[in-house]
Structure formats: C-alpha cells, structure tokens
Amino acid sequence: MATTQVAKVSFKEQMLQAREDAIIQTVNRLLSEKGFDAMTVDEVAASVGIAKASLYKHFPSKEDLAAAAMVKVMQRAQRFLQSLDPEAPPMDKLKAVARWTMEVQLAGQMPSLPSQNSTLRNTLMASREYMDGLMDVSDTLGSWIEAAQAKGLLNPQLPAIAVLYTLYARACDPVLEFLKTGGQHTDAQIVDLVMSTCFDGINAR
Amino acid sequence: MATTQVAKVSFKEQMLQAREDAIIQTVNRLLSEKGFDAMTVDEVAASVGIAKASLYKHFPSKEDLAAAAMVKVMQRAQRFLQSLDPEAPPMDKLKAVARWTMEVQLAGQMPSLPSQNSTLRNTLMASREYMDGLMDVSDTLGSWIEAAQAKGLLNPQLPAIAVLYTLYARACDPVLEFLKTGGQHTDAQIVDLVMSTCFDGINAR
DNA sequence: GTCTATAAATAGATAGAC
DNA sequence: GTCTATCTATTTATAGAC
C-alpha cells in the first residue's frame, strides 16, 4: 500500500507541475504580447482552460503569477548560460547569448520588462528566486564582458555595466517587432540585423 | 462692443489652450513614467488639478487624451528637425536627432511607445495628425539615412528602415533609465554612452 | 484542486447642477 | 467649462459547494 500511495502522490505532483508549467507558458506569451498591465487574469484562465479561482489556488496574486513566469525565464537563461562551452572565448559566448535572447523574443516568449515603477517591479525585487537568478546571470555575463574587453574585442572605454544593460535591452528591443511587422525580412535576417547594429553599430567601418 | 467681444473670446481661447497644454504635459509625463495602461484618468485629473469630468470635456476618451499627447511629441520632433541647418551634413543631423530624443527621454517627456496591440495603437493609427507627423519625420530621417549611407558614413549594408527603427528605439531605450537608476553617471554621460553604443556598437574598433 | 457565483475595488465615462 | 455625484463595465480576488 505504501508504494502505491507514494506513486500516486508523485503522479499527482507531476500533473500539478505540468499544469503550472502550462499556466506559466501562457503567462509568458501574454506578457510578451501585451505586457503586465494589459494582461488580465481572466484571459490567463481562459487561455489555460481552467477557472480563475483555480488559478488563484496556484498563485496568490496577479503579481506573483507574473513573477513566477519571469523566474522561469530567468532559470531558462541560467540553463542556457551553463550549456555554453566554458572553454569557448567569452566574446563568442556573449554573442551566442544575445542571439538567443532575440530568438526567444521572436518566439513570443520574452516578457516585456516592467521598466516603469509598477507593482510587478516591487514583487520582482522582493522575490529571492528572481533576484538570485538575475544576480547570477549578471555576474556571469559581467565576467565575460570584462574578459572580452581585456582582450580588446569589446570597447574597453564602455563601462561593463553599460554593455550589460545594452545586451539586456536587446532581449526586449522593439526593433525586432517593427521589422517583423514590416514583413520584409525573415526572423533569421532580423536577428542578424540587430546583432550587427548591437555589436558593430550603425556606422560604416 | 464687437472688439471687446472678440478680445474676450480670444482670451478665453488662450486660457483654454493653456489648460490643454498643461493637461498634455502631465499626460506626457505619466505616459513616460508608467505607460498607457498603468496611467489612469483619475491620476491625470488629480495631477492637473481639475475634475475628471472637466477632462472629458476636453478629450472624449483616454485614448484620445494619450493620442493628443503623442501628436504633441511628434510635432515637437518635426519642429526640431526643421530647426536643423538644411546645409549641415545628414550624418550630423542624424546624430543631433538621436541625442535630442535621448535628452527628451531623460527629461521624462518621452512617452513609451505602445509596441503591443493595444487600443491606443488603433487610435494612433486612425489619427491623421499623428500618422502625417510620423510619415513626415520618417521621410526626413529616411532621406538623411540614405544620404549618409551613400557617403559611406552609415553602414550601407543595413536596410535604411532598420537604421530608422534603431534610431526610434533609442528614444525609448530602457538602458537610459537603467543607467540613471544606477546613479553612477550624469545625464550627459549616459547620453554619450548610448550614442556610442548606437553608432559605434559595443565592439572595439 | 476545480468549479460556479459573488464580493470588493477600481477605472472609464456620464448626468446634471452651477 | 467646471464641479460633485453616479453609472457601468471591468478586474482582482474570494466564498463555498463538490
């Protein structure tokens, strides 16, 4: 009986986890499409296919719901960083990260950041999980940036923090959406274009 | 009697215009701080110091209120473009424009664009005044971009539209706010940094 | 945990007196 | 045109049965 019960609980937990993953995936899509303020909890529930009250059993508030989605994205980023060959040149890894973030955005899975002073921002800043992930990612990228600057591959006159923010901003760059709406370029071409403007600038060389 | 009446009307109209300007200035600030969705009409009314109902005598809806603010920004941009010396090199004018948009943003007077599919976007697209202004600005900047590319000063391999969008995006670049929050740089330094990353990229040369 | 139904609060918009 | 007071719809959140 004991083994059956254990198996049963494990199965239930798996189902629970799967549902929460589905919720968060939906939230990430909506956050990417319309942002936190325009996204409604009704929408999320309807899109996932469960009742709103059920949603609130999983997450205590809209802010926590969005925060959980942001944490998931941050974890995904951490996994991506860890998947890169530690022996690879830092500059290559930075370019791979920039490219990856743009691809995630074009896939509609990159939530637009709450740059304004919103309630979500407060929740995020209070989230240990999110902040730890952000710190970890920033530390890793920061070390790569400094290494690339030391090698003379990144402009050493720029503060590392400015480079870091510039890369972060590319993950939410509206230019990608603009160009996609234009319909004149494929996703791959759009990524290449923004990679070029990000690293080489718009000046001629 | 006739002259008195005319003068009276003119004065009233001036007061009306002044009030509407004050409203729009407040709206621009709030749009810049929190975006369209998070901005409430109650806030606007309270900030201007008039009743909400009075606000609705001036503007028929929240969308129209925001649209009027965006039109004002667009007109301001048009005036700035016209203020530049027509004989100056196109590249110099483009840099002046980029710098100016960043300064406006740092001054808290640049509304964040409705990149998502929002009701505001529809209203803006339906606004002849806004769209005409946008077209005019885009045409002017586009011609300067092509001229700078022809002279080999801007990368001719980039589609002109990609350069245009890149410049537009700088006007709302979250990097400015990030760096400002960091508190390690003056506004002038921040503008210089982003000017550098925009035109020269983050690579070393 | 999931549901239906509902509460409580908020936001956009309007009525009507002055 | 400005105000107070109110309406209506929406939205976040919860109660309570199953």
Side-chain angles (χ1 to χ4, degrees), chain B residues 137-150:
Chain B
V137 169
S138 297
D139 280 349
T140 303
L141 293 180
S143 69
W144 294 348
I145 289 169
E146 287 172 355
Q149 285 181 318

Side-chain angles (χ1 to χ4, degrees), chain B residues 19 51 53-54 57-58:
Chain B
R19 168 145 293 185
S54 305
K57 298 282 183 181
H58 290 277

